[in-house]
């Protein structure tokens, strides 16, 4: 994120909010742990780039936040982060424009942190993770949304049996049957190692649907379970990763976790197929199968 | 996997006997050869033989493109109320028209007592990136809602009828499959037809244009992809390819007694040159994965007795010429046996079994060649190589 606000200026601009600590920073947002209306929440501070004064266009970032907030308002799935009490507000902090709003504060580690620490999840933890993903994707699908950025860094593992995993960040969610936010029609958004092959095709807007999220969710589960990402393999260069996404068939999850049921590994293997038509798309059926395992 | 009798001209007692002997699980009737009254009578007769058999009717709506063509051979099709020539543009822009055709066709099928409904559709010619494909998707997406609105309470199979050239353009075909597997209102199943015709109408499956690795692999991919998504596939005119399609996830296959019931071709609706001999009686030899003439069978048995399938219907060929009905029964029994003994729940295992069968067939052809039966040796080996290549192409497409 460009122009992370100075913490003193931020506190001054938000006198009713007690900022406890800086937590993380994404593409255009900084996240803080804060007390808002007497409750601990995640304060989101998004930088809004200044547009050319003559331009009548609304900045992309502003539209994205609007979509994220609208989407989170629409979706009621418990495995998706909830909005907090602070509605989006416009602030000028220093010389820059920001939108400030809040989400619930969740105590937990991201899957990215857990994978990095070498944590080896049990089968039941992986099964629950995939179940949480499926419920989230089902809810998003009902609302004609595609998350587009499901990855270990956007999933928190909580110590809560009712909400073992929560998916964060609808910042680049794609709304079907709606006007695209990004002005460049060729711009592909997402995090490369978790992007499905169809996002790299011509007219990708026509190609993507909820099965793109199923792919990213299964890939995240694969990485969480196995501790390895099939397309990174120690190399971090984009062309290398892209080539592997498009061409390489990952080894079966079962080869990494022979202690897992074969049917679970097969489900993951099938959901990360390159052709969307080869990914099982009946979410209710997948949930039923997972619940029976 | 189920096997159905693909019905056509001169059924005589073939279907009845096939059902009685448990060689077929039902029949796909053809309105081209039946008036609505006759179809109703046959459906009722078949259900009397076995109450739980499947009776379906392929509406053959795709043949409406030949209405008014001077050399068309539509026979009774024009007596069916849904079989009305409709302009493509009207089908594209008028969704009520599509509803009406679906409804009329479903009503006709319900009236004759079908146990499942097959939705009409048009034929996709050269490409899945076409107006025809767009119209076809409209029929498929509307099939289930129309049946529900009519309270039909029967499983609905939407037709996908495509020319082999459309299948081999894999990018467009895969894009079509992606649409098909994410429909808002998916049907219970798909009735799939792959058209190719044959070099000679009497030549049968083995020499047809459908026998090409890209076509077979594409057809298998359709079965695989839809089965992964909980959609059943009934493969019309699948004949000897039935076990291949079943290994990929297909729900049913079908074949009939004449060669034009063993391979689908739009050419069947156009009058060909008149005359010609009646087709030779054949034996479907599983060891060779091919149909051979009765004379060839006699000669081969002398030298290689185990070339027979060792199935009960072999008796029809023992020291005599079988009847046309017996020929059909032998064909169904062979395909059913091969299907039942090839398909397992594990796709890798099924494909391996198929490959083993092809290798076995090659070894039999080589033995015959060594024994002096060299006629057609090269083309038969080429055909088997094509089947082998089809399995490899399918594995690649299905990312196995």
């Amino acid at each position: 994120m460009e122009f992370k606000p100075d913490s003193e200026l931020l506190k001054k601009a938000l006198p009713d909010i007690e900022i406890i600590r800086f937590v993380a920073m994404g593409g255009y947002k900084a996240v803080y742990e804060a007390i808002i209306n007497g409750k601990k929440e995640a304060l989101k501070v998004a930088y809004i780039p200044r547009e050319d004064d003559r331009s009548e266009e609304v900045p992309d970032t502003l539209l994205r936040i609007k979509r994220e907030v609208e989407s989170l308002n629409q979706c009621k799935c418990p495995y998706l982060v909830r909005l907090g009490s602070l509605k989006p507000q416009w602030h000028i902090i220093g010389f820059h424009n920001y939108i400030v709003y809040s989400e619930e504060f969740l105590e937990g580690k991201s899957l990215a942190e857990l994978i990095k620490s070498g944590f080896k999840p049990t089968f039941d933890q992986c099964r629950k993770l995939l179940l949480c993903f499926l419920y989230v994707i089902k809810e998003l699908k009902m609302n004609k949304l595609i998350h587009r950025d499901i990855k270990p860094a956007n999933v928190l593992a909580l110590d809560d049996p009712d909400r073992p995993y929560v998916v964060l960040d609808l910042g680049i969610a794609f709304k079907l049957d709606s006007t695209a936010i990004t002005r460049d029609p060729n711009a592909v958004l997402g995090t490369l190692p978790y992007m499905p092959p169809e996002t790299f095709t011509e007219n990708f807007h026509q190609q993507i649907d909820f099965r793109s999220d199923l792919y990213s969710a299964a890939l995240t589960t694969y990485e969480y379970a196995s501790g390895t990402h099939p397309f990174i393999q120690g190399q971090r260069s984009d062309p290398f990763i892209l080539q592997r996404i498009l061409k390489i068939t990952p080894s079966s999850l079962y080869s990494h976790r022979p202690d897992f049921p074969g049917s679970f590994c097969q489900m993951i293997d099938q959901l990360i197929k390159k052709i969307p038509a080869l990914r099982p798309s009946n979410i209710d059926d997948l949930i039923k199968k997972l619940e029976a395992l | 996997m189920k096997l159905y009798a693909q019905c056509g001209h001169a059924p005589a007692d073939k279907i009845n006997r096939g059902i009685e002997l448990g060689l077929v699980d039902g029949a796909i009737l053809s309105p081209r050869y039946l008036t609505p009254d006759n179809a109703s009578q046959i459906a009722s007769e078949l259900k009397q033989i076995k109450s739980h058999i499947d009776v379906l009717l392929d509406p053959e709506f795709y043949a409406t493109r030949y209405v008014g063509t001077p050399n068309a051979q539509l026979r009774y099709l024009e007596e069916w109320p849904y079989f009305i020539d409709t302009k493509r543009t009207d089908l594209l822009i008028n969704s009520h028209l599509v509803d009406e055709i679906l409804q009329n066709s479903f009503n006709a099928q319900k009236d004759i007592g079908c146990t499942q409904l097959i939705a009409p559709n048009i034929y996709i010619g050269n490409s899945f990136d076409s107006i025809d494909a767009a119209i076809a998707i409209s029929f498929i997406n509307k099939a289930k809602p129309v049946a529900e609105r009519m309270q039909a309470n029967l499983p609905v199979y939407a037709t996908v009828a495509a020319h082999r050239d459309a299948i081999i353009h894999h990018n467009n075909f895969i894009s079509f499959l992606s649409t098909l597997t994410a429909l808002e209102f998916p049907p219970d199943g798909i009735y799939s037809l792959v058209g190719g015709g044959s070099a000679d109408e009497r030549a049968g499956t083995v020499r047809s244009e459908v026998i090409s690795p890209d076509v077979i692999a594409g057809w298998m991919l359709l079965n695989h992809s839809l089965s992964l998504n909980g959609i059943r596939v009934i493969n019309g005119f699948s004949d000897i390819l039935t076990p291949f399609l079943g290994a990929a996830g297909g729900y049913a296959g079908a074949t009939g007694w004449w060669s034009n019931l063993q391979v689908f071709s739009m050419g069947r609706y156009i009058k060909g040159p008149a005359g010609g001999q009646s087709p030779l009686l054949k034996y479907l030899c599983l060891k060779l994965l091919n149909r051979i003439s009765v004379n060839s069978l006699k000669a081969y048995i002398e030298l290689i007795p185990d070339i027979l399938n060792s199935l009960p219907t072999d008796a029809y060929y023992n020291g005599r010429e079988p009847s046309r009905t017996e020929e059909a029964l032998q064909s169904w029994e062979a395909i059913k046996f091969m299907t039942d003994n090839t398909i397992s729940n594990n796709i890798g295992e099924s494909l391996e079994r198929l490959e083993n069968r092809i290798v076995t067939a090659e070894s039999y052809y080589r033995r015959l060649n060594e024994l002096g039966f060299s006629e057609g040796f090269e083309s038969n080996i080429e055909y088997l190589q094509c089947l082998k290549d089809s399995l490899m192409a399918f594995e690649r497409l299905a990312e196995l």
Side-chain angles (χ1 to χ4, degrees):
Chain A
M1 174 192 175
E2 284 180 283
F3 307 111
K4 183 188 159 205
D6 176 85
S7 52
E8 286 310 311
L9 290 175
L10 183 65
K11 282 177 185 170
K12 216 169 160 185
L14 306 167
D16 298 336
I17 296 172
E18 184 191 335
I19 296 171
I20 300 170
R21 67 180 174 104
F22 166 75
V23 177
M25 195 154 64
Y28 60 92
K29 274 183 287 193
V31 185
Y32 299 83
E33 184 182 339
I35 304 292
I36 303 169
N37 299 324
K39 213 174 131 196
K40 196 191 276 186
E41 293 190 4
L43 178 72
K44 304 244 163 171
V45 181
Y47 167 66
I48 309 297
R50 194 186 293 273
E51 291 286 307
D52 183 330
D53 287 345
R54 287 162 298 180
S55 167
E56 289 178 7
E57 287 172 346
V58 184
D60 288 359
T61 325
L62 199 59
L63 294 172
R64 295 221 166 277
I65 293 166
K66 191 167 174 267
R67 177 164 294 169
E68 182 174 17
V69 170
E70 277 172 7
S71 305
L72 288 174
N73 258 328
Q74 277 172 6
C75 298
K76 301 295 172 210
C77 177
Y79 312 120
L80 198 56
V81 68
R82 295 167 184 146
L83 284 172
S85 59
L86 185 67
K87 303 280 174 262
Q89 302 175 350
W90 185 279
H91 286 273
I92 297 171
I93 303 169
F95 297 102
H96 303 296
N97 294 323
Y98 294 90
I99 293 281
V100 176
Y101 64 103
S102 72
E103 286 175 359
E104 61 176 331
F105 188 83
L106 297 163
E107 299 274 6
K109 281 188 173 169
S110 75
L111 297 192
E113 289 172 287
L114 289 170
I115 292 166
K116 206 172 167 189
S117 72
F119 175 74
K120 196 176 176 187
T122 62
F123 162 65
D124 198 50
Q125 285 170 320
C126 293
R127 188 184 68 92
K128 281 181 180 152
L129 172 64
L130 189 56
L131 267 173
C132 292
F133 276 138
L134 292 175
Y135 281 112
V136 167
I137 296 168
K138 186 179 170 182
E139 178 84 13
L140 293 171
K141 182 179 175 240
M142 269 166 44
N143 289 290
K144 294 187 181 288
L145 286 162
I146 305 168
H147 187 292
R148 282 209 293 187
D149 205 16
I150 294 177
K151 59 182 179 182
N154 279 342
V155 184
L156 286 183
L158 308 183
D159 191 18
D160 177 353
D162 294 331
R163 299 177 80 196
Y165 298 96
V166 171
V167 177
L168 315 173
D169 200 354
L170 280 166
I172 57 164
F174 183 77
K175 179 93 175 156
L176 296 165
D177 311 333
S178 173
T179 314
I181 289 176
T182 309
R183 286 168 207 158
D184 176 1
N186 298 316
V188 184
L189 299 181
T191 307
L192 179 65
Y194 302 93
M195 289 162 74
E198 62 269 24
T199 46
F200 305 105
T201 53
E202 217 182 320
N203 297 325
F204 71 92
H205 287 131
Q206 303 284 328
Q207 307 287 334
I208 60 170
D209 58 28
F210 68 98
R211 290 175 292 189
S212 304
D213 279 346
L214 285 177
Y215 170 94
S216 308
L219 196 59
T220 299
T221 311
Y222 182 109
E223 189 181 359
Y224 183 51
S226 68
T228 58
H229 189 293
F231 304 130
I232 295 180
Q233 307 259 309
Q235 289 264 359
R236 292 231 161 239
S237 83
D238 285 359
F240 174 85
I241 295 170
L242 180 58
Q243 169 73 5
R244 289 185 69 86
I245 291 172
L246 298 176
K247 301 281 180 205
I248 300 293
T249 302
S251 53
S252 169
L253 176 59
Y254 193 72
S255 66
H256 297 280
R257 296 301 303 258
D259 54 323
F260 280 17
S263 53
F264 178 81
C265 297
Q266 271 172 18
M267 189 185 284
I268 295 287
D269 294 347
Q270 204 60 45
L271 286 168
I272 55 176
K273 293 288 181 199
K274 303 199 187 302
I275 300 174
L278 290 173
R279 301 174 202 146
S281 63
N282 186 330
I283 298 179
D284 288 334
D285 191 43
L286 289 169
I287 289 173
K288 212 184 282 175
K289 283 180 183 159
L290 270 183
E291 280 175 345
L293 278 175
Chain B
M1 189 188 198
K2 291 190 174 190
L3 181 66
Y4 295 138
Q6 190 87 50
C7 302
H9 176 61
D13 60 345
K14 297 178 183 75
I15 318 168
N16 301 30
R17 294 275 311 275
I19 288 170
E20 272 165 14
L21 294 172
L23 304 179
V24 287
D25 304 284
I28 302 174
L29 305 179
S30 167
R32 184 184 173 207
Y33 297 100
L34 298 166
T35 63
D37 286 344
N38 287 343
S40 182
Q41 194 186 331
I42 287 180
S44 140
E45 275 172 26
L46 296 180
K47 283 195 271 188
Q48 272 169 21
I49 300 170
K50 272 191 189 161
S51 56
H52 296 300
I53 58 137
D54 298 333
V55 179
L56 301 98
L57 179 129
D58 173 357
E60 296 177 75
F61 182 77
Y62 39 79
T64 51
R65 62 155 70 177
Y66 296 122
V67 172
T69 310
N71 54 347
Q73 283 195 121
L74 299 172
R75 303 185 64 153
Y76 296 116
L77 273 171
E78 289 178 280
E79 292 189 23
W80 291 78
Y82 61 83
F83 197 85
I84 296 162
D85 182 28
T86 318
K87 281 186 184 164
R88 268 188 345 162
T89 330
D90 292 341
L91 291 172
L92 189 65
I93 58 176
N94 187 348
S95 72
H96 293 299
L97 188 60
V98 173
D99 285 9
E100 200 179 304
I101 294 164
L102 285 164
Q103 195 169 330
N104 288 341
S105 162
F106 290 160
N107 273 330
Q109 292 176 59
K110 273 184 76 181
D111 287 348
I112 66 165
C114 287
T115 55
Q116 280 110 318
L117 302 175
I118 295 182
N121 212 334
I122 64 161
Y123 188 67
I124 300 168
N126 294 322
S127 170
F128 279 101
D129 184 14
S130 61
I131 289 177
D132 289 346
I135 295 169
I137 283 286
S138 169
F139 271 101
I140 297 164
N141 197 37
K142 282 166 165 282
K144 184 77 179 171
V146 167
E148 277 177 358
R149 230 175 18 243
M150 292 166 60
Q151 298 181 316
N153 298 323
L154 291 173
V156 177
Y157 289 81
T159 299
V160 174
H163 190 260
R164 45 101 62 201
D165 288 355
I167 306 261
I168 60 175
H169 292 116
H170 284 158
N171 285 348
N172 292 335
F173 176 51
I174 285 169
S175 202
F176 179 83
L177 278 184
S178 282
T179 308
L180 204 58
T181 46
L183 287 176
E184 207 176 342
F185 309 109
D188 301 295
I190 291 291
Y191 173 59
S192 134
L193 299 175
V194 175
S198 50
D200 169 354
E201 279 293 311
R202 299 184 197 285
T205 316
V206 172
R207 307 282 171 254
S208 83
E209 291 174 352
V210 170
I211 301 295
S212 148
D214 283 344
V215 179
I216 298 172
W219 201 357
M220 289 173 79
L221 184 72
L222 178 123
N223 280 266
H224 184 56
S225 155
L226 292 173
S227 73
L228 284 169
N229 285 284
I231 301 171
R232 291 172 167 179
V233 184
I234 296 175
N235 299 285
F237 303 80
S238 54
D239 196 54
I240 203 158
L241 296 179
T242 303
F244 289 74
L245 303 172
Y251 171 73
T255 190
W257 40 95
W258 305 121
S259 59
N260 73 353
L261 299 175
Q262 293 160 0
V263 190
F264 180 73
S265 165
M266 289 296 278
R268 66 208 297 265
Y269 299 102
I270 297 290
K271 271 190 196 119
Q277 288 179 334
S278 168
L280 288 175
L281 280 161
K282 296 274 179 76
Y283 174 82
L284 178 51
C285 178
L286 292 181
K287 301 283 169 51
L288 298 173
L289 294 182
N290 206 345
R291 283 191 175 81
I292 52 175
S293 69
V294 175
N295 284 342
S296 297
L297 177 67
K298 276 182 197 162
Y300 295 170
I301 294 171
E302 294 288 317
L303 297 164
I304 312 175
D306 72 343
I307 205 150
L308 282 164
N309 297 338
S310 301
L311 294 172
T313 52
D314 286 351
Y316 303 145
Y317 292 75
N318 194 1
R320 65 178 174 94
E321 280 216 337
S323 67
R324 286 287 175 199
T325 294
E326 289 169 337
E327 181 194 30
L329 297 175
Q330 190 277 325
S331 192
W332 285 325
E333 185 179 46
I335 291 174
K336 191 165 183 61
F337 178 82
M338 181 170 162
T339 305
D340 291 348
N341 286 277
T342 303
I343 301 168
S344 79
N345 288 331
N346 181 325
I347 188 167
E349 197 175 280
S350 304
L351 296 175
E352 201 181 318
R353 286 179 189 170
L354 281 170
E355 195 176 345
N356 288 340
R357 282 201 171 268
I358 300 167
V359 171
T360 305
E362 278 175 340
S363 71
Y364 273 93
Y365 269 118
R366 285 188 207 289
R367 274 174 75 187
L368 286 169
N369 188 43
E370 283 160 16
L371 293 165
F373 296 104
S374 56
E375 196 192 334
F377 173 73
E378 295 295 335
S379 64
N380 286 322
I381 291 292
E382 205 175 291
Y383 151 68
L384 293 172
Q385 186 59 44
C386 171
L387 290 183
K388 236 196 264 181
D389 292 346
S390 305
L391 295 180
M392 278 166 60
F394 167 66
E395 283 176 22
R396 203 173 50 246
L397 281 175
E399 302 171 36
L400 295 173

